[in-house]
Amino acid sequence: MNILMLEWDSFAHEYIVEEFKRAGCEVDIFLWPYPDENMRENEKLCHRLSQTLKKKEYEFVFSLNFFPIAAKTCNDCSLKYVAWIYDTPFLLLYSQYTMLDTNYIFFFDKSLSCDFQKYGVKHAYYLPMAAPVNYYDKLRVSEVDQEHYQADIAFVGSTYHEVRQDFYRYIEGVDEYTSGYLKAIMKMQGEIYGSFLLEELLTDNIVQKLQHVCPLRKGKDEWETDAWIYANYFLARKLTGDQRKEQLELLGKKFQVKLYTSDQTPDLEHVINCGSVDYMKEMPLVFSHSKINLNMTLRSIHTGIPLRAMDIMGCGGFLLTNYQEDFLEHFEPGVDFVFYTSQEELVELAEYYLVHESERQEIAENGYRRVKSGHTYRERIDVILRQIKES
């Protein structure tokens, strides 16, 4: 079976290629110019891809995340296009080309897969993320590295306060009433885990006020609502960043907390900013040598298990995460991982598991075994191949 894989700067690319090959597939690579080129309307890229597809008989084209131009080209060539979504929000999903019957789209967030099934996508499936446990098992660590990456509590991720991440600044020019309304609904959303309310709380009047200070420009093939964009890109990121900083600082006042990020955080006085870490070489060392690893999910991920959480457990790390519904379908809380539903509970659980070492280590081991036995890239690629064969 021949597969053409669109390669861009994505996570887990190497592991997926390896597992396709392990399953007996021959994988060719097409360098995919995302995000440098237009992924919606691009005749030159469409021509390049179609010419490549004519050179060999492929079973399907595969990519991490979904690209409309790839979907259109594959459909024109009567070829299946398989996409595994690990980002949300991901604006390119909301394209007229998403509806093509030649698409096979796998979503890591179950609520998102349900949404697109309702929208009319014929081949929309739920497929959570995975961890390369075999790779993590082979990592060898020196005593110096062990000491360097040890921490009571660690978090690897963005605070969304860097300029390139801060979309909220574009709507700060709204009137006082609208500004107060946005702060109020974000405060309410911040106290609720398990349900995303921001989009439905953006009334037509509020959306008009936002459009006035920050009008949205859409491509011809786009069909998402303005409320969806403002809620998921502007408000959810702002809320996530504010909550991460608030919760990290709160924990830092009581415990040793290390933050691994490229963001500058001068206002986090009680948190040790260790800078960014390499995903493949350093991140696993943080997860395996920290007593508690935090997952504070981006609020636009409505029910899904973030890749970070899978990696933490796959490294044998102890996972303390906010509540996300999809966890309960695959893992047992209090046995494989621990979740919190409020800021107060986060602090209480962190304090408890820092003291109760044997319980913490047992949960970390359980989570590791659960991921290794059923949540690796091997299992995920087998599911994809089987689903394509059966449909």
Side-chain angles (χ1 to χ4, degrees):
M1 179 186 296
N2 299 321
I3 297 171
L4 184 67
M5 184 162 182
L6 308 183
E7 180 182 329
W8 57 282
D9 187 22
S10 60
F11 294 117
H13 171 265
E14 299 88 347
Y15 311 128
I16 291 173
V17 170
E18 180 182 341
E19 293 305 331
F20 273 134
K21 290 181 177 179
R22 189 265 322 161
C25 303
E26 182 177 322
V27 182
D28 293 339
I29 300 299
F30 185 96
L31 296 180
W32 195 242
Y34 173 77
D36 298 327
E37 293 190 25
N38 187 338
M39 291 291 126
R40 293 188 182 277
E41 301 292 339
N42 189 325
E43 290 185 8
K44 289 184 179 180
L45 180 57
C46 185
H47 177 71
R48 280 176 49 213
L49 180 56
S50 63
Q51 290 300 109
T52 299
L53 295 177
K54 292 175 182 178
K55 295 177 182 178
K56 197 171 186 177
E57 187 175 340
Y58 290 103
E59 184 71 19
F60 59 84
V61 173
F62 177 88
S63 71
L64 283 161
N65 284 340
F66 176 87
F67 302 104
I69 207 69
K72 178 182 183 299
T73 305
C74 287
N75 186 72
D76 291 344
C77 296
S78 300
L79 187 66
K80 296 174 183 176
Y81 173 47
V82 181
W84 188 6
I85 310 303
Y86 74 77
D87 272 337
T88 183
F90 193 67
L91 200 57
L92 291 174
L93 266 172
Y94 296 81
S95 162
Q96 62 180 351
Y97 301 124
T98 308
M99 304 302 173
L100 297 171
D101 287 347
T102 45
N103 293 334
Y104 291 73
I105 308 177
F106 296 82
F107 299 85
F108 85 102
D109 184 307
K110 190 169 187 177
S111 68
L112 201 58
S113 68
C114 293
D115 287 343
F116 276 82
Q117 288 167 6
K118 293 176 183 176
Y119 296 151
V121 176
K122 183 178 180 180
H123 305 293
Y125 311 100
Y126 168 54
L127 188 71
M129 294 310 300
V133 181
N134 288 339
Y135 168 76
Y136 294 149
D137 285 348
K138 294 175 184 176
L139 291 177
R140 297 294 177 261
V141 188
S142 67
E143 290 186 8
V144 174
D145 281 339
Q146 288 183 32
E147 293 180 6
H148 178 70
Y149 291 106
Q150 284 177 350
D152 286 344
I153 301 174
F155 177 69
V156 179
S158 175
T159 62
Y160 293 104
H161 282 74
E162 289 291 293
V163 172
R164 62 185 177 83
Q165 298 273 22
D166 183 15
F167 291 3
Y168 192 79
R169 72 185 191 278
Y170 294 117
I171 58 174
E172 287 182 333
V174 293
D175 61 85
E176 186 175 350
Y177 171 82
T178 304
S179 176
Y181 184 88
L182 296 178
K183 291 176 182 177
I185 63 174
M186 283 192 290
K187 185 177 189 310
M188 181 176 66
Q189 179 69 82
E191 297 174 357
I192 298 173
Y193 293 91
S195 182
F196 188 74
L197 306 175
L198 291 176
E199 183 179 356
E200 63 186 83
L201 290 173
L202 290 177
T203 64
D204 292 343
N205 180 56
I206 294 297
V207 169
Q208 289 176 7
K209 296 291 183 64
L210 294 174
Q211 290 170 331
H212 180 71
V213 297
C214 183
L216 302 175
R217 297 177 181 177
K218 298 181 183 179
K220 295 179 181 179
D221 70 317
E222 288 185 63
W223 50 266
E224 77 286 347
T225 66
D226 287 358
W228 181 90
I229 296 176
Y230 289 126
N232 286 279
Y233 275 95
F234 293 71
L235 303 188
R237 284 181 184 233
K238 171 67 172 174
L239 173 58
T240 301
D242 287 350
Q243 280 201 311
R244 285 181 177 181
K245 294 181 74 172
E246 182 179 356
Q247 292 172 1
L248 288 169
E249 182 67 6
L250 187 64
L251 290 168
K253 289 179 180 179
K254 300 190 67 173
F255 318 109
Q256 180 205 53
V257 176
K258 290 185 177 181
L259 169 64
Y260 295 87
T261 184
S262 59
D263 299 349
Q264 299 298 312
T265 55
D267 48 341
L268 293 181
E269 299 178 9
H270 299 89
V271 176
I272 304 169
N273 189 329
C274 300
S276 59
V277 286
D278 180 80
Y279 178 78
M280 295 186 69
K281 296 178 180 179
E282 296 180 285
M283 185 193 71
L285 304 183
V286 174
F287 293 159
S288 59
H289 290 87
S290 299
K291 294 179 180 177
I292 293 177
N293 291 282
L294 296 177
N295 172 58
M296 296 179 280
T297 307
L298 176 61
R299 282 308 190 108
S300 53
I301 302 176
H302 299 169
T303 65
I305 303 172
L307 180 59
R308 179 196 300 109
M310 286 292 193
D311 282 325
I312 289 170
M313 291 186 284
C315 289
F318 176 88
L319 172 62
L320 177 56
T321 176
N322 62 281
Y323 173 81
Q324 291 285 111
E325 184 178 335
D326 289 1
F327 273 107
L328 305 186
E329 186 166 330
H330 307 280
F331 303 97
E332 186 175 349
V335 175
D336 305 315
F337 76 107
V338 175
F339 72 80
Y340 63 90
T341 58
S342 69
Q343 189 167 273
E344 294 73 23
E345 190 176 22
L346 167 62
V347 176
E348 292 172 2
L349 289 170
E351 186 169 22
Y352 178 87
Y353 284 105
L354 283 174
V355 174
H356 294 79
E357 185 173 356
S358 61
E359 287 186 47
R360 185 185 73 240
Q361 292 176 343
E362 182 179 357
I363 291 172
E365 179 65 21
N366 290 339
Y368 164 78
R369 289 177 178 172
R370 187 69 67 94
V371 171
K372 185 172 184 176
S373 65
H375 299 280
T376 67
Y377 287 97
R378 175 164 297 188
E379 279 83 20
R380 299 298 188 254
I381 295 306
D382 285 345
V383 170
I384 289 174
L385 291 174
R386 186 168 58 249
Q387 190 65 62
I388 292 171
K389 183 178 179 180
E390 292 175 353
S391 58

